[in-house]
Amino acid sequence: MKDLFNLSGKAALVTGGSKGIGLGMARALGLAGAKIAIASRGIEDLENATTDLQNDGIDAKAFQVDVTNKHQVDELVKNVTSHFGTVDILVNNAGMNIRKPLVEIEEEDWDKVLTTNLKGLFLVGQSVAKQMIKQQSGRIINISSILGEVGMSFQTSYAASKGGINQLTKVWADELASHGITVNAIGPAYIKTPMTEGWLSDKKRYNNIVEQTMLKRVGELSDLAGPIVFLASDASSYVTGQVLYVDGGWTAK
Ligand code: NDP
């Protein structure tokens, strides 16, 4: 049997690949053989992350982009395609959160979260889909959250964005299937990253989060390595339109 998880010769674009979950997934895909384009706004983080990946023997290149800007997104996809020849895998991961009680959310907070998490993911997905349709193949993996599925206080805008991601994942899967493209989402529970370290530093909150999981722990970046390689590889060829929750059992409770 051929190696179902081997990504040699494939090119992957990971948005928000300069830190946290994006960098962890970029590393997992790179170690499985893929060439890696990481894309985000902060140039210093991008350069450090690229060096970090290259030190692991990965063919990695950084691209600066704000995913909320359509012109920059189209340029990004053009530049990644001309550098690597194809875009075989998209990890649509760039995102942010502003946690506030419903009655304290400013209009700007809502706009910022929805524009980054939902509009940005749409712009990148649309631009990459055009390239994948030309190739008649591809894997799109949208990074959602358990908040796309469960309710939780202080998460109005974030949960709305992630619920939207779950739904558009199914629509894209249906629309792009005839072009040889699969579209899935990963829904992590809490993972220790720069985005969550402040939130998780509260001991009571941390313990509550641990209690919500069946496996009684918070997730690590390494917990996402297998799921992302699976969804990016031939091992998942008959899987599309799904949200794979990587959450220690949280959403199944
Ligand atoms: P981090 O804050 O650690 O990293 C976010 C990444 O996105 C950075 O590379 C950041 O770089 C980039 N980014 C943010 N805004 C933009 C933008 N407008 N354009 C381009 N890049 C951008 O977050 P995490 O790694 O924790 O989260 C990554 C994804 O995983 C998000 O979609 C998040 O919702 C999701 N997730 C995270 C969970 C967790 O517990 N950590 C749980 C469930 C889902 P820069 O700011 O330099 O642009």
Side-chain angles (χ1 to χ4, degrees):
M1 193 169 71
K2 67 174 180 169
D3 182 356
L4 288 171
F5 299 93
N6 187 349
L7 299 178
S8 299
K10 305 281 184 193
L13 166 59
V14 183
T15 66
S18 64
K19 52 185 149 174
I21 286 177
L23 178 55
M25 288 185 167
R27 192 185 317 279
L29 295 172
L31 291 175
K35 298 167 275 186
I36 304 293
I38 52 170
S40 59
R41 293 166 302 179
I43 192 68
E44 203 179 321
D45 286 337
L46 271 174
E47 281 169 0
N48 291 338
T50 309
T51 307
D52 192 16
L53 293 172
Q54 288 167 344
N55 286 341
D56 272 352
I58 295 166
D59 180 355
K61 186 162 170 59
F63 296 83
Q64 201 173 12
V65 73
D66 181 341
V67 295
T68 67
N69 181 311
K70 179 172 165 48
H71 173 71
Q72 288 186 26
V73 167
D74 288 342
E75 281 300 298
L76 165 75
V77 175
K78 203 172 86 188
N79 292 336
V80 174
T81 308
S82 81
H83 184 75
F84 286 127
T86 53
V87 183
D88 305 293
I89 299 156
L90 167 64
V91 183
N92 219 345
N93 162 80
M96 48 95 62
N97 197 1
I98 300 172
R99 300 176 190 86
K100 284 187 184 174
L102 169 62
V103 294
E104 288 176 20
I105 298 169
E106 304 286 347
E107 191 179 345
E108 299 77 53
D109 300 329
W110 168 270
D111 286 346
K112 216 169 167 182
V113 175
L114 270 291
T115 304
T116 306
N117 293 5
L118 199 49
K119 179 184 167 184
L121 179 135
F122 153 68
L123 289 176
V124 178
Q126 184 189 51
S127 198
V128 169
K130 289 177 188 168
Q131 173 59 29
M132 288 181 171
I133 287 170
K134 284 186 204 153
Q135 298 166 192
Q136 288 292 294
S137 69
R139 292 271 192 273
I140 296 177
I141 301 129
N142 295 322
I143 304 308
S144 181
S145 161
I146 55 165
L147 270 305
E149 171 78 17
V150 302
M152 195 186 295
S153 300
F154 314 136
Q155 304 275 11
T156 294
S157 43
Y158 186 80
S161 73
K162 296 300 184 178
I165 290 171
N166 286 2
Q167 200 54 29
L168 67 74
T169 296
K170 297 174 205 168
V171 174
W172 293 2
D174 194 34
E175 235 177 273
L176 299 175
S178 62
H179 299 286
I181 302 163
T182 65
V183 187
N184 292 288
I186 289 182
Y190 286 91
I191 307 282
K192 290 170 206 155
T193 69
M195 185 199 266
T196 52
E197 64 193 353
W199 188 251
L200 292 172
S201 63
D202 180 305
K203 205 156 175 51
K204 189 164 166 240
R205 188 183 291 136
Y206 186 94
N207 290 338
N208 283 341
I209 288 168
V210 167
E211 271 316 299
Q212 290 291 330
T213 67
M214 293 179 183
L215 295 175
K216 300 295 176 226
R217 66 177 178 86
V218 166
E220 305 283 343
L221 289 179
S222 57
D223 292 316
L224 292 165
I228 191 66
V229 171
F230 168 65
L231 288 177
S233 69
D234 288 348
S236 63
S237 20
Y238 199 52
V239 179
T240 199
Q242 302 302 308
V243 183
L244 174 55
Y245 288 104
V246 183
D247 63 357
W250 186 315
T251 50
K253 264 183 128 180

